Amino acid sequence: MSERIYLLPLWIRIWHWANALLIITLTVTGVSLHFADPQLPLVEFSLAARIHDIAGIVLVALYVFFVIANIVTGNWWQYVPKPPGVMERCVKQARWYAYGIFRGEPHPYRVSEEANFNAMQAIAYWVMMYVVMPVMLITGLIFLIPELAPDRLFGFDGLLPVAILHYLTGAVIIMFMIAHIYLGTTGKTATSMFKTMFTGWYEQH
Amino acid sequence: MSKARFKEIDQLSGESSVLMSWQKTITVVATFVACVWSFQTHAADAVAADPEVVEKNRKANEACFACHSEFGFKNPPRTDMDMKKLAETLYDPKVFAGSNHGTMDCRQCHGQGYNDYPHSVTGKSETSPCAECHATKVARLEPQYDASVHARLESVKAKFTCATCHDPHIDLGATLLKDPHKIAIQDNKACLDCHNSDEVFAKYAADDEKTPGIKKKRPDVDTIHDWLPNTRLHWKTVRCVECHTPEVKANRPISHEILDKEKAEKNCLSCHSANSSLRTRLYRHLVKDEQERFGFTNSIILSSSYVIGATRHPLLDKIVIGLVLLTLGGVLIHGAIRVIFAIRRKGKTQ
């Protein structure tokens, strides 16, 4: 019988799956809008625009909830890579992904209730949640209220830098999502981490 | 050949040469008339250039604006004027001077009946129709207008003139106005003056088909456009006629066939795609200057408005798609290697 620990409280799991659902919705509609073309039959443009607006506003609300809940529960501490030896642990982790995982070496980091994430995870999640997401959400809100954008910039509409930042951060989130889903298969079994995200119980390697 | 036959041929060739010379004369006269007509027509489209004439006209117009302006209305130079009528015909001299007709003498359109006060009772009816100068334009646009929603009912059509939509004292052509936002504001005002006012709409409205004797009620512009995302933003940045006129070929002026809600464009991709119809519509006068600045498609549109789907950067798109595909390919390859190694390990263990 392998060791199990209760790792993820209900609010984190609900937030995670709501976040996932919204980001997938925003990805599909965002691609439909940005790459709008009669030859590319994705979601109909006006429908995509409406869904993207609504899902975007819900995501902002969910993000605010996430930040507040993190502060209230102290969960924010999980995202802070704990010194000393952060770099060494990152290198060790990267080496495992690049080499050790193929050879069936054990996971270099042991998950505990005190520290859910390995050093690389903590840094990646911190950057995603506290740098990329705010830029994405703020630029999205400016899109909803374009009067907030500068009128003109470098001879172009002032909304252009907002649009480019929104587009690039969106692309980073999509790339993160692909890697994140894939890394979810690197648990004890290919599905054990997905189970953890539903049940909250984590199976040690 | 007999002499009589030669005579006949001579006679025929003589008649033929007479005919030829008549043909030539008619051709020359027709060409001359066409040239003069064309010159007059184009002269009507262009702004008068002679500074002396412009100054002379401006001075002459001062007499009109002495009454027909906000200042004149507040400080009437006479006491015997019909102030109610005057209130309906007030113009800003500065706005007029900047308009298409701003260099002309008011009396060039309004006739000599307005030389003195009281104006001639026939003055209004003697006002020149637009076709007097803009003959070719009117001839070209009339069939389009006749197919328009405004011409569907005779009772409504009878109330419409060019000036119903195009105020000759204010409006400025797109090539002179240049800025698409200003063009949108000016041209949408023409539509919204009626379609956003119950009072003005009622002046033109026909009887409701369902309730004869009762005028058709003005549909609320916001409600009938509620399918359109960012409705108000669209009205600030594009014209109603972008969707409410049929598409025309590139380099052709926008059609005057105003389409009703059934026929109007509802396909967002018409504008929101790389091959945006805005190029042949609102930005038609600017497209010749398109240089794809900084690598942006439709950079000429981007100079005024970021139009998602239309104002893209193909190189940036390729890089982003490439990076996403690399990530996807990377994890798939990583996963495949993991599976291969796991199978090998399993084989060794067994």
Side-chain angles (χ1 to χ4, degrees), chain A residues 73-144:
Chain A
T73 62
N75 189 57
W76 64 275
W77 184 241
Q78 296 285 356
Y79 294 86
V80 181
K82 318 291 184 302
V86 174
M87 268 315 286
E88 287 80 2
R89 274 184 282 141
C90 279
V91 170
K92 203 173 168 188
Q93 189 68 37
R95 192 206 148 273
W96 186 75
Y97 285 135
Y99 181 74
I101 189 171
F102 301 131
R103 293 168 53 90
E105 287 177 12
H107 204 284
Y109 178 71
R110 190 174 167 82
V111 171
S112 67
E113 279 161 345
E114 292 73 34
N116 297 357
F117 308 137
N118 66 54
M120 260 179 100
Q121 245 181 327
I123 293 170
Y125 290 0
W126 188 88
V127 171
M128 289 307 299
M129 291 316 296
Y130 293 107
V131 179
V132 179
M133 278 292 273
V135 174
M136 155 63 75
L137 297 176
I138 290 167
T139 50
L141 285 173
I142 298 175
F143 252 131
L144 284 174

Side-chain angles (χ1 to χ4, degrees), chain A residues 30 32-40 44-47 49-50 53 96-105 143-144 146-147 151-152 154-160 163-164 167-168 171 174-176 178-179 182-183 185-187 190, chain B residues 181 225-231 233 236 266-269 272-274 293-294 296 299-313 316-318 320-321 323-324 327-328 330-338 341-342 345:
Chain A
S32 304
L33 295 169
H34 184 86
F35 296 99
D37 192 300
Q39 308 293 322
L40 191 77
E44 192 274 320
F45 192 91
S46 67
L47 182 66
R50 283 189 194 287
D53 285 358
W96 186 75
Y97 285 135
Y99 181 74
I101 189 171
F102 301 131
R103 293 168 53 90
E105 287 177 12
F143 252 131
L144 284 174
E147 290 81 8
D151 196 33
R152 293 186 66 72
F154 307 120
F156 286 131
D157 181 4
L159 206 56
L160 178 65
I164 289 179
Y167 175 41
L168 293 181
I174 291 169
M175 286 187 278
F176 170 82
I178 294 169
Y182 172 70
L183 291 174
T185 66
T186 60
Chain B
H181 286 183
H225 290 96
D226 63 0
W227 67 273
L228 178 70
N230 298 322
T231 323
L233 187 64
K236 274 187 201 166
K266 276 190 175 165
N267 179 13
C268 307
L269 299 191
H272 290 276
S273 60
R293 279 204 303 142
F294 299 110
F296 281 101
S299 65
I300 207 76
I301 298 176
L302 191 57
S303 300
S304 297
S305 291
Y306 174 78
V307 180
I308 193 161
T311 51
R312 302 183 200 176
H313 197 289
L316 188 63
D317 284 348
K318 276 181 192 157
V320 165
I321 292 170
L323 287 172
V324 171
T327 312
L328 199 61
V331 300
L332 286 176
I333 292 167
H334 195 275
I337 298 172
R338 266 173 65 201
F341 272 74
R345 274 202 311 276

Side-chain angles (χ1 to χ4, degrees), chain B residues 67-127:
Chain B
C67 302
H68 292 278
S69 64
E70 221 32 76
F71 178 82
F73 186 73
K74 283 178 188 158
N75 310 281
R78 305 172 62 111
T79 51
D80 57 342
M81 287 191 295
D82 183 342
M83 298 305 280
K84 206 177 161 192
K85 259 189 176 178
L86 179 64
E88 291 168 7
T89 52
L90 301 182
Y91 295 98
D92 184 333
K94 275 187 190 163
V95 173
F96 174 72
S99 75
N100 273 348
H101 299 95
T103 54
M104 290 167 64
D105 186 325
C106 300
R107 290 165 302 179
Q108 270 173 276
C109 294
H110 290 288
Q112 300 304 311
Y114 290 92
N115 274 342
D116 303 305
Y117 190 87
H119 302 319
S120 155
V121 283
T122 57
K124 198 169 183 181
S125 60
E126 284 165 8
T127 301

